[in-house]
């Protein structure tokens, strides 16, 4: 039988899943493949609805601004939207705001001396605005490329030529900030906000918050692919969340669409690797209390084999093995 794990309320523009820990564990232990397939179908249905709504605007909309807090799945969502638009015959290009950092010499620093890549001022705001206007008026712009290894912008720019009736998806944590689109015809722009919109309860008591789930995604991804460890990811997390509250939340209500990227089965996929990483956090250090709380929560979930996760799933952005390149 089909699983019934979600609901849509009239007060929400996004799908909100009805769930609790016992339900998640039941399906993880007895119907893992069906559980995953149903959740993926629901998520992609929501994304299809957004894509179709935008395409119904015909030629009015050319620019799509896509944002969400850290580890919401912005990169994969942009790639999925691109795939859906191109399947419908609309050429689509993705522009990452990460490539518009000005360089470490201009990036604000945190009180501890680290570079604050979350700050709006870290971006080349005038050049982003000029690129958007150039795309709309001239059908082209020169795109920069930022090297995180060097901490500076590459000297060679790449020309982007935009075909007629194309979509441009601009993604980044500051994409909804109106500073980039002021003076531009609002009909030419649609805004999408994505995030993990809910946590997980054990019947009545919440055991994982929405931001905890995003943390787990980041923890597993950054350890596997970005050379980080549990200590570093936990140490950075407070500042990441502070940046979200300062730079993202004030503008999320300006979005035309909200997408819940929570996948109810995901903690069952992430738990084993996350516990392994968190178990290595120094028991005498300041990060251990958070690691201990997360381990205690994760141990309550049943595991699901990562091999069951489809290659096109948003979760592959964090566990690897995606059909997309990152």
């Amino acid at each position: 039988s089909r699983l019934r794990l979600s609901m849509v309320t009239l007060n929400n523009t996004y799908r909100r899943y009805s769930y609790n820990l016992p339900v998640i564990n039941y399906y993880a232990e007895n119907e893992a493949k069906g559980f995953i397939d149903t959740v993926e179908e629901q998520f992609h249905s929501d994304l299809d609805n957004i894509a179709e709504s935008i395409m119904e605007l015909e030629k009015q909309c050319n620019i799509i601004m896509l944002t969400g807090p850290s580890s919401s799945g912005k990169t994969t969502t942009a790639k999925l939207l691109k795939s859906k638009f191109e399947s419908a015959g609309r050429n689509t290009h993705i522009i990452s705001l990460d490539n518009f950092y000005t360089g470490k010499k201009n990036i604000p620093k945190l009180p501890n001396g680290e570079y604050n890549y979350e700050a709006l001022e870290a971006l080349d705001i005038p050049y982003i605005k000029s690129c958007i206007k150039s795309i709309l008026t001239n059908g082209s712009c020169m795109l920069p490329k930022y090297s995180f290894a060097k901490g500076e912008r590459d000297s060679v720019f790449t020309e982007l030529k935009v075909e007629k009736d194309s979509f441009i998806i601009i993604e980044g944590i500051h994409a909804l900030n109106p500073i980039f689109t002021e003076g531009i015809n609002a009909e030419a722009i649609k805004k999408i906000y994505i995030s993990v919109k809910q946590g997980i309860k054990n019947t009545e008591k919440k055991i994982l918050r929405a931001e905890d789930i995003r943390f787990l995604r980041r923890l597993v991804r950054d350890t596997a692919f970005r050379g980080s460890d549990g200590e570093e990811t936990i140490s950075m997390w407070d500042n990441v969340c502070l940046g979200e509250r300062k730079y993202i939340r004030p503008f999320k209500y300006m979005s035309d669409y909200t997408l819940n990227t929570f996948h109810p089965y995901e903690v069952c996929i992430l738990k084993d690797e996350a516990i392994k990483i968190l178990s290595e956090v120094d028991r005498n250090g300041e990060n251990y209390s958070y690691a201990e709380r997360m381990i205690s929560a994760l141990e309550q979930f049943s595991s699901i084999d990562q091999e069951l996760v489809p290659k096109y799933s948003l979760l592959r952005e964090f566990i690897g093995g995606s059909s997309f390149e990152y």
Side-chain angles (χ1 to χ4, degrees):
S1 61
R2 291 180 61 81
L3 306 178
R4 298 183 181 275
L5 294 173
S6 67
M7 62 182 180
V8 179
T9 73
L10 294 177
N11 295 323
N12 294 328
T13 59
Y14 58 88
R15 184 186 301 272
R16 188 166 186 86
Y17 295 88
S18 63
Y19 63 89
N20 57 38
L21 178 63
V23 171
I24 289 172
N25 281 344
Y26 172 81
Y27 287 116
E29 294 167 12
N30 298 284
E31 266 188 82
K33 181 65 165 59
F35 185 19
I36 291 172
D37 289 347
T38 297
V39 170
E40 293 291 341
E41 179 183 335
Q42 291 171 332
F43 174 75
H44 284 268
S45 174
D46 294 339
L47 196 55
D48 283 339
N49 290 337
I50 292 174
E52 289 166 8
S53 174
I54 292 173
M55 286 188 287
E56 285 175 1
L57 299 172
E58 295 181 346
K59 299 179 182 179
Q60 288 181 320
C61 174
N62 299 100
I63 303 287
I64 298 163
M65 308 296 286
L66 188 155
T67 197
S70 175
S71 301
S72 292
K74 293 184 292 295
T75 303
T76 302
T77 300
K79 290 178 181 293
L80 287 169
L81 275 174
K82 181 177 188 290
S83 177
K84 293 177 189 298
F85 289 143
E86 291 186 338
S87 294
R90 300 290 295 271
N91 290 317
T92 306
H93 304 275
I94 298 173
I95 296 176
S96 172
L97 290 181
D98 284 357
N99 283 318
F100 289 84
Y101 284 118
T102 55
K104 284 186 176 179
K105 61 182 180 180
N106 298 314
I107 293 176
K109 288 188 176 182
L110 296 165
N112 63 6
E114 295 179 359
Y115 292 101
N116 185 8
Y117 280 100
E118 309 290 322
L120 176 66
E121 297 77 16
L123 296 173
D124 190 340
I125 297 171
Y127 193 69
I128 294 170
K129 294 170 68 173
S130 70
C131 277
I132 294 174
K133 289 181 179 179
S134 181
I135 288 169
L136 290 173
T137 57
N138 305 320
S140 67
C141 72
M142 299 300 293
L143 293 178
K145 177 70 176 177
Y146 187 78
S147 170
F148 284 91
K150 298 177 183 176
E152 61 185 29
R153 181 185 291 171
D154 288 346
S155 58
V156 178
F157 286 50
T158 303
E159 183 178 15
L160 172 65
K161 291 186 176 181
V162 179
E163 305 84 353
K164 187 178 180 181
D165 300 334
S166 293
F167 286 120
I168 306 296
I169 302 172
I170 300 176
E171 65 93 0
I173 61 173
H174 297 290
L176 293 197
N177 193 310
I179 195 171
F180 299 121
T181 53
E182 58 187 1
I184 296 173
N185 181 4
E187 291 185 350
I189 297 169
K190 285 298 174 187
K191 299 179 178 182
I192 303 174
Y193 176 80
I194 75 169
S195 186
V196 174
K197 300 292 291 182
Q198 59 194 106
I200 299 175
K201 296 179 180 177
N202 186 355
T203 59
E204 294 301 319
K205 183 180 179 182
K206 185 171 287 187
I207 57 175
L208 285 175
R209 302 166 298 178
E211 68 181 47
D212 292 331
I213 294 171
R214 291 191 292 106
F215 167 81
L216 291 171
R217 290 178 175 184
R218 180 166 175 152
L219 176 75
V220 170
R221 180 199 63 193
D222 287 8
T223 302
F225 307 114
R226 300 189 179 182
S228 297
D229 58 19
E231 296 278 4
E232 184 175 355
T233 304
I234 296 174
S235 295
M236 293 175 59
W237 191 241
D238 279 347
N239 182 63
V240 169
C241 293
L242 180 63
E244 293 164 3
R245 291 191 289 272
K246 184 175 181 180
Y247 298 113
I248 300 176
R249 282 189 189 177
F251 307 112
K252 70 178 185 179
Y253 302 105
M254 298 179 179
S255 64
D256 299 292
Y257 307 96
T258 299
L259 179 68
N260 186 0
T261 66
F262 172 59
H263 287 46
Y265 70 84
E266 65 180 276
V267 177
C268 301
I269 297 292
L270 298 168
K271 65 160 287 192
D272 291 339
E273 190 62 29
I275 288 174
K276 185 190 305 181
I277 298 166
L278 293 168
S279 297
E280 296 176 356
V281 171
D282 182 3
R283 289 177 172 269
N284 299 314
E286 59 183 14
N287 295 323
Y288 185 69
S289 60
Y290 183 70
E292 185 179 37
R293 179 175 75 80
M294 295 299 288
I295 291 172
S296 177
L298 291 170
E299 287 176 338
Q300 299 177 59
F301 289 81
S302 299
S303 299
I304 295 179
D305 189 343
Q306 291 188 4
E307 292 299 316
L308 295 177
V309 180
K311 300 297 183 184
Y312 59 79
S313 174
L314 178 143
L315 290 186
R316 288 287 178 184
E317 180 177 333
F318 307 99
I319 65 174
S322 176
S323 55
F324 295 114
E325 292 185 7
Y326 295 98

